[in-house]
Amino acid sequence: MNEKELKANIEKIKQFLTLPDYDKIDAGIELAVSLEEPKIFETLLDGCKSDLSTSLSYGESYLNDWLKSLITSSGTLNENPTGYYVWLSLLVNNPLLSTADIKELDLTNGYLKKIPKNFSRLENLEKLNLQKNKLATISDEVFQLNNLVSLHLGWNDITTIPDKISELVNLKTLMIGNNSLEDISDNIGNLKSLHHLDIGSNFLSKFPNSICKIKSLININFISFNDEWGLDEETSKTIKKHIPN
């Protein structure tokens, strides 16, 4: 690919990536990948912090100007801010990215409504912080991160913890308070390594009895717990045992 073709392809891809439409953004990323030209990613990420060798937070990411423009306009938050989603999509799909040493990732307050495709490339990730985003579901990409020890999903719009939660066999900390949870899969009882669980400030109509199967639990944050639910004595004692004073 000569310089003229490279420039033309980059401009075409940017047309997709600057649209406030996640499907169009995904199409732009797929086009960039299909062209098999690392310089495309290098150019689009120029000016951004792209070294994920240890850990990263948005405060350190230093988005370049065109990515920042996708988040705010004239100092006002855009209705569908996607700048961090574009940045994250470019990073995880970048053919030059070495993922082996990436163990921690802090994606707090990134206005994310979804997790990009191929996020599971970060297969050695141990700590993932997705709090204060706009997620309505937990992406299947997250459930493929089998080395996860800590997962923070607080302050989103998540309505359920699905069956696939049991795939995170090494999980020790699950923080999913301040969401819109109405249902928790019984499979949460299969998290045999779980020590810390926060499901407080949600919309659960009853305490999930499957949690009582997790013998490794050290503490539970469940603000809505009360004695009026008619739980049997053993379950009630188990719950209270793990609720911090």
Side-chain angles (χ1 to χ4, degrees), residues 108-140:
T108 300
N109 201 27
Y111 315 110
L112 294 171
K113 291 184 178 179
K114 58 185 291 191
I115 301 300
K117 295 178 181 178
N118 298 321
F119 187 79
S120 55
R121 277 190 68 200
L122 306 176
E123 58 186 3
N124 291 328
L125 204 60
E126 296 177 359
K127 296 182 180 180
L128 176 59
N129 192 338
L130 287 164
Q131 68 173 324
K132 297 182 180 180
N133 280 285
K134 297 183 178 182
L135 301 172
T137 60
I138 308 174
S139 169
D140 285 352

Side-chain angles (χ1 to χ4, degrees), residues 94-108:
N94 186 348
L96 297 177
L97 177 66
S98 176
T99 63
D101 295 327
I102 302 173
K103 302 296 181 64
E104 301 180 23
L105 191 58
D106 186 349
L107 301 172
T108 300

Side-chain angles (χ1 to χ4, degrees), residues 7-244:
K7 185 175 181 180
N9 281 317
I10 289 173
E11 289 304 312
K12 183 177 181 180
I13 291 166
K14 284 184 73 173
Q15 288 178 11
F16 282 102
L17 300 184
T18 54
L19 294 172
D21 184 311
Y22 287 92
D23 290 336
K24 295 290 177 54
I25 292 169
D26 290 347
I29 296 293
E30 289 175 4
L31 175 58
V33 171
S34 70
L35 292 172
E36 299 182 343
E37 176 50 75
K39 286 185 178 180
I40 291 175
F41 289 87
E42 183 179 340
T43 302
L44 292 172
L45 289 167
D46 184 40
C48 298
K49 179 182 174 69
S50 57
D51 178 12
L52 303 185
S53 58
T54 53
S55 64
L56 182 75
S57 68
Y58 277 133
E60 301 170 343
S61 62
Y62 305 119
L63 300 190
N64 56 28
D65 289 341
W66 78 273
L67 284 172
K68 289 178 181 177
S69 71
L70 305 182
I71 300 172
T72 59
S73 297
S74 301
T76 302
L77 188 69
N78 292 336
E79 183 177 353
N80 292 301
T82 56
Y84 286 121
Y85 180 80
V86 175
W87 167 77
L88 188 58
S89 297
L90 288 168
L91 280 180
V92 299
N93 286 283
N94 186 348
L96 297 177
L97 177 66
S98 176
T99 63
D101 295 327
I102 302 173
K103 302 296 181 64
E104 301 180 23
L105 191 58
D106 186 349
L107 301 172
T108 300
N109 201 27
Y111 315 110
L112 294 171
K113 291 184 178 179
K114 58 185 291 191
I115 301 300
K117 295 178 181 178
N118 298 321
F119 187 79
S120 55
R121 277 190 68 200
L122 306 176
E123 58 186 3
N124 291 328
L125 204 60
E126 296 177 359
K127 296 182 180 180
L128 176 59
N129 192 338
L130 287 164
Q131 68 173 324
K132 297 182 180 180
N133 280 285
K134 297 183 178 182
L135 301 172
T137 60
I138 308 174
S139 169
D140 285 352
E141 295 278 349
V142 172
F143 295 127
Q144 295 178 48
L145 300 171
N146 295 324
N147 289 306
L148 271 188
V149 173
S150 175
L151 177 59
H152 198 329
L153 295 163
W155 290 277
N156 278 284
D157 299 312
I158 298 169
T159 58
T160 184
I161 299 178
D163 290 345
K164 288 188 176 182
I165 191 67
S166 60
E167 296 178 14
L168 300 178
V169 295
N170 295 304
L171 201 64
K172 293 184 178 180
T173 299
L174 176 59
M175 312 293 284
I176 194 167
N178 294 278
N179 272 275
S180 302
L181 284 182
E182 297 177 352
D183 178 60
I184 294 178
S185 168
D186 288 342
N187 283 4
I188 198 171
N190 296 327
L191 296 178
K192 304 303 182 183
S193 299
L194 197 65
H195 291 169
H196 311 285
L197 175 63
D198 180 2
I199 52 174
S201 297
N202 279 289
F203 300 104
L204 297 166
S205 59
K206 62 180 181 179
F207 187 87
N209 288 332
S210 54
I211 290 175
C212 297
K213 299 177 183 178
I214 310 173
K215 305 303 181 183
S216 59
L217 268 180
I218 296 174
N219 59 62
I220 305 170
N221 178 19
F222 189 74
I223 295 173
S224 302
F225 174 74
N226 63 74
D227 290 321
E228 299 178 359
W229 283 350
L231 298 175
D232 62 77
E233 184 177 355
E234 182 178 355
T235 300
S236 181
K237 286 181 178 179
T238 300
I239 296 168
K240 289 180 177 179
K241 176 182 176 182
H242 296 298
I243 295 178

